[in-house]
Amino acid sequence: MAEQIPAAAASGKLVIRNVGLMLSGDIACPILDADTIVCIDGRIAAVGRAADLDTGRPTTLIDAHGGAVCPGLIDSHVHPVAGDWTPRQNQIGWIESTLHGGVTTMISAGEVHMPGRPRDIVGLKAFAISAQRAFAAFRPGGVKVIAGAPCIEPGMVEEDFRELAAAGVTLLGEVGLGGVKDGPSARRMVEWARKYGIRSTIHTGGPSIPGSGLIDKDVVLEADTDVVGHINGGHTALPDDQLRCICESCTRGLELVHNGNERSALFTLRTARELGQLERIILGTDGPAGSGVQPLGILRMVAMLSSLGDVPAELAFCFATGNTARMRALDCGLIAEGYAADFVFLDKAQHSGGRNLLDSVRLGDLPGIGMTVIDGIVRTGRSRNTPPAETIPEIVV
Ligand SMILES: [Zn+2]
């Protein structure tokens, strides 16, 4: 059921015990030597071994029964419009369904599927502010949707960005989906956005749907957005030499999306690894899109990159958690003191050929999800969308 009111953080003490594998989300240290998490009022207060922590008198006690816990997954690239409805495929419930794929935070790359989306400057600003407000006040299933991402249009001036930031807008939609498609104009506006604390991304590659356009490596590098949005195309990717040039010529985030070219995603991954810069890789779905909505899209990216890209599964999970959180300055995505108590409980799917969760993902199988928690509140039990997990956590208290 979608919640009608903002999901407040839990009040009280949440203890999670008997965690068999603690995935931190931190690519520098992806597996923690810990079996217990203590959360107070929706925030992680301590992580470690049960014997070393104060686990007494919990408000909620979850026994992981030896399964894995990972930070809630972050989808770095979605296109929400209105609550849990998308006009792109005329579906309802897609965000809540994605929670069943382990995603607890989504980042809008622009509310571009809005029928009749305003393109005039006052209209696009009002629309972005409205989207920011609406998704801050309404969390489908409890999922945090950070929205209100205007697509820049010719004629915008510095004052527009100052005004948007003052009104609470923190993101730009994909540069290139609006009327600004040239490098110099994009760079000027991206710099204004950055000056006022608004983070930016860009549509990389060929047109996604009729009405969008080509953005090649020269525009990407000149615009210098914080994230190179769907570097593997959405759907149509740039040629490999351009992808390599982007990877080598800047230090910005390299976003790989489900709704893109899988071969190009693997090429980018290999290039980033050669550069010793896997901390730049972040994951999105780019849904809803022409290819539909992808409730398991982030898990599918993790399994695809791990199995075909030869990346240890514990690192691939960091692409969808800590890497994104760091790049986007979020207070989630890591299992560490002070971070939001957003978790997904995982185990290998029943009858996977893998020896354990990490081995099964490395073999290309999707994990099973047994529970999700956002801000210290249990949001779902066993996922209705993943294959069933071998172990399922239990709410003891
Ligand atoms: Zn795009």
Side-chain angles (χ1 to χ4, degrees):
M1 288 289 290
E3 294 183 10
Q4 298 300 319
I5 52 171
S11 59
K13 181 174 182 178
L14 165 66
V15 173
I16 302 169
R17 72 182 184 196
N18 290 330
V19 177
L21 174 69
M22 193 79 78
L23 296 168
S24 71
D26 178 1
I27 199 159
C29 178
I31 298 176
L32 298 177
D33 178 20
D35 60 10
T36 301
I37 308 172
V38 178
C39 307
I40 304 290
D41 297 342
R43 298 244 153 216
I44 299 170
V47 185
R49 291 280 160 196
D52 304 326
L53 302 179
D54 172 14
T55 59
R57 288 184 297 189
T59 320
T60 304
L61 174 62
I62 300 172
D63 192 320
H65 287 310
V69 174
C70 178
L73 306 178
I74 304 169
D75 187 334
S76 171
H77 192 131
V78 296
H79 291 294
V81 167
D84 211 353
W85 169 64
T86 172
R88 172 52 57 190
Q89 301 301 343
N90 201 17
Q91 284 182 273
I92 56 173
W94 69 279
I95 295 172
E96 191 258 356
S97 205
T98 304
L99 173 62
H100 282 261
V103 171
T104 56
T105 297
M106 293 180 166
I107 297 164
S108 176
E111 295 79 33
V112 290
H113 299 323
M114 175 71 178
R117 168 167 69 96
R119 302 250 181 171
D120 62 296
I121 293 169
V122 69
L124 75 87
K125 287 192 296 185
F127 179 49
I129 294 165
S130 168
Q132 186 276 328
R133 297 286 188 280
F135 281 100
F138 177 78
R139 290 185 179 180
V143 175
K144 302 168 178 176
V145 183
I146 304 170
C151 290
I152 54 177
E153 293 286 347
M156 292 182 78
V157 296
E158 179 173 342
E159 176 62 15
D160 292 317
F161 295 88
R162 192 201 62 75
E163 190 185 341
L164 283 163
V169 168
T170 60
L171 300 166
L172 286 191
E174 289 172 70
V175 172
L177 293 189
V180 174
K181 299 182 195 295
D182 67 289
S185 306
R187 186 182 191 100
R188 192 165 59 246
M189 293 188 191
V190 164
E191 283 177 352
W192 285 332
R194 190 171 285 134
K195 177 175 173 182
Y196 295 104
I198 297 175
R199 286 165 196 271
S200 53
T201 185
I202 192 165
H203 172 98
T204 309
S208 53
I209 51 174
S212 73
L214 166 70
I215 299 287
D216 66 10
K217 75 159 177 29
D218 295 329
V219 179
V220 169
L221 291 171
E222 183 155 19
D224 192 32
T225 50
D226 298 307
V227 169
V228 181
H230 59 56
I231 188 170
N232 62 320
H235 298 269
T236 312
L238 295 174
D240 288 354
D241 60 335
Q242 293 202 28
L243 300 183
R244 176 175 290 280
C245 179
I246 291 171
C247 292
E248 291 176 349
S249 306
C250 76
T251 57
R252 301 296 185 186
L254 303 171
E255 184 187 74
L256 308 178
V257 299
H258 187 269
N259 181 40
N261 179 321
E262 290 170 316
R263 193 198 58 78
S264 301
L266 291 164
F267 178 84
T268 304
L269 178 70
R270 281 196 299 275
T271 305
R273 184 168 45 210
E274 283 169 30
L275 294 169
Q277 296 176 349
L278 285 180
E279 73 282 359
R280 292 171 65 193
I281 301 285
I282 63 176
L283 306 184
T285 55
D286 195 11
S291 59
V293 301
Q294 297 111 14
L296 304 184
I298 295 296
L299 287 179
R300 285 170 52 80
M301 289 298 289
V302 167
M304 190 271 284
L305 295 171
S306 179
S307 58
L308 301 181
D310 211 20
V311 169
E314 61 270 28
L315 294 186
F317 280 107
C318 298
F319 301 161
T321 54
N323 277 8
T324 318
R326 172 172 28 80
M327 217 166 287
R328 301 210 178 253
L330 304 177
D331 67 349
C332 58
L334 289 181
I335 294 187
E337 194 182 323
Y339 280 76
D342 299 351
F343 308 114
V344 54
F345 291 69
L346 306 158
D347 198 10
K348 74 166 182 165
Q350 293 174 12
H351 304 290
S352 165
R355 296 184 312 278
N356 52 41
L357 170 73
L358 297 177
D359 193 42
S360 72
V361 172
R362 186 65 183 257
L363 292 176
D365 284 331
L366 298 188
I369 290 177
M371 186 178 286
T372 60
V373 171
I374 302 177
D375 289 334
I377 300 173
V378 175
R379 307 293 175 153
T380 68
R382 186 201 286 264
S383 167
R384 66 166 186 261
N385 288 334
T386 65
E390 280 213 331
T391 62
I392 294 291
E394 176 191 2
I395 300 174
V396 180
V397 175

